[in-house]
Every structure is written in C-alpha cells, then in structure tokens.
Amino acid sequence: MKNVNIEIKARIGDSAEIRAFLEKHHADFKGRDHQIDTYFNVPEGRLKIREGNVEACIVHYHRPNDSGPKRCDYTIEKFSPKDLHLDGLKRLLTDSLGVLCVVDKLRDIYFLDNCKFHIDSVEGLGEFFEIEAIGDENHGIEDLRHQCKDYLTHLGITDDMLVKVSYSDMMLMK
C-alpha cells in the first residue's frame, strides 16, 4: 500500500498562536529535533536522508509544487537515530547520485490524531509551519485534504502565507 499525506507548508513570523492551539488540543509533543536533510540528484521526485535525534530516515517522494493542501506519495525507511547503516547509505548515495543540497533545521514535532505538525526554523530560510494529514489511498484523500483546510482555518494560516515548494527548492533558489 502506498503511503500518502496531504500536506501544507506556510511561512510564519511567530509560532506562539500555533503552539497555544496545539497545547489547548493536547497534541502529543515528540520533541525538538535538529535535522540535517541531504537531498540527492534523482531523475524523478525527491530523495533525501534525514539525520536527527528524534527522526532518522530515507524517503523518496512525489509532491506537486502547489500552495494549498497537496498530495504527497512517498516511500520511507526509518532508522534509529545514529544508526551506522544510515551513514553508509548516505555515502553510497552521495557517491552514486551526488548531493543536490543540504537543509539544516530545528523542528518541533507534534501529533494530533493522524496529523503531524512541524514548527521549523530553517537555517538560511526562516520560520515555517507544516501540517501532514497522514493516511493511505484507502483513508479518503478528500477527508485528509479537508482536515488540512480545517486546521489552516483554525490556526489563521492565510493563502498568502502558504509555500508551494520544498525547503530544498528554496535553498536552490537562494
């Protein structure tokens, strides 16, 4: 079965209201993670290795560059933080594909039901907020899209705050 998210990214100035909303709704705070995402040159989609103290993984994904809630189809393999296999895999991919760019960020991770919320401080780019409504092809893609839209409304995230592209794209545009 395919992994599917409906997700948004928004540029924010202050995360206080978002944090208050998440606390009020008893979101499960997983922690603050210093993440290094290494993106590789691939002919289709995006491929990255994430190295963090909370999350460590390799993920290949396809997502359109749209500003509103957008579908993301992905394949992910999770690792334990500091897993030596991840270092070897990163060396192998660097040697065979080449590095496209590296994104360095501090990420606060929250969960509320099937939704994952990120408050990110991205080196060289600024402050962002993300929502991932996590499901699968059988969960009802439109239900996931509706969840994202509802959260956007409740959090006061307006269309002009939404970001179309990934952090890697923003880094490459700098």
Side-chain angles (χ1 to χ4, degrees):
M1 188 174 349
K2 255 187 209 174
N3 296 305
V4 178
N5 287 343
I6 298 295
E7 54 190 61
I8 65 94
K9 181 189 313 291
R11 185 176 290 279
I12 58 172
D14 181 11
S15 62
E17 281 187 43
I18 294 167
R19 291 177 195 282
F21 175 88
L22 293 169
E23 288 172 17
K24 177 182 175 187
H25 290 87
H26 308 288
D28 182 15
F29 179 61
K30 295 296 185 182
R32 174 167 283 176
D33 201 10
H34 179 216
Q35 297 179 344
I36 305 293
D37 290 348
T38 303
Y39 287 80
F40 299 95
N41 294 305
V42 291
E44 198 175 303
R46 294 177 178 99
L47 176 67
K48 68 182 172 188
I49 284 184
R50 170 165 294 148
E51 299 168 278
N53 296 317
V54 176
E55 296 179 329
C57 62
I58 182 169
V59 61
H60 180 254
Y61 64 100
H62 295 271
R63 185 186 65 222
N65 288 338
D66 296 329
S67 62
K70 53 193 157 271
R71 180 179 174 143
C72 178
D73 295 283
Y74 64 99
T75 306
I76 189 168
E77 185 67 34
K78 296 179 181 181
F79 294 85
S80 299
K82 309 294 182 199
D83 186 320
L84 296 178
H85 291 98
L86 196 57
D87 289 337
L89 185 57
K90 183 177 174 183
R91 280 191 306 275
L92 184 148
L93 291 172
T94 297
D95 290 347
S96 62
L97 299 173
V99 172
L100 180 65
C101 72
V102 175
V103 175
D104 187 337
K105 66 182 175 288
L106 282 177
R107 169 170 279 181
D108 289 349
I109 304 167
Y110 297 84
F111 278 90
L112 192 55
D113 299 320
N114 67 304
C115 290
K116 186 177 178 189
F117 299 87
H118 306 140
I119 299 171
D120 293 337
S121 178
V122 184
E123 187 174 302
L125 296 178
E127 307 298 313
F128 297 87
F129 172 64
E130 293 183 338
I131 303 170
E132 295 177 358
I134 302 167
D136 56 50
E137 290 184 318
N138 300 322
H139 186 83
I141 298 302
E142 285 311 308
D143 291 341
L144 297 173
R145 193 176 311 279
H146 185 71
Q147 269 185 305
C148 268
K149 287 180 180 179
D150 281 349
Y151 282 123
L152 290 175
T153 300
H154 291 304
L155 291 164
I157 304 290
T158 57
D159 288 347
D160 62 318
M161 298 167 71
L162 297 176
V163 176
K164 291 181 179 184
V165 297
S166 73
Y167 294 139
S168 63
D169 295 333
M170 285 187 261
M171 294 297 286
L172 293 170
M173 287 185 240
K174 278 181 49 171

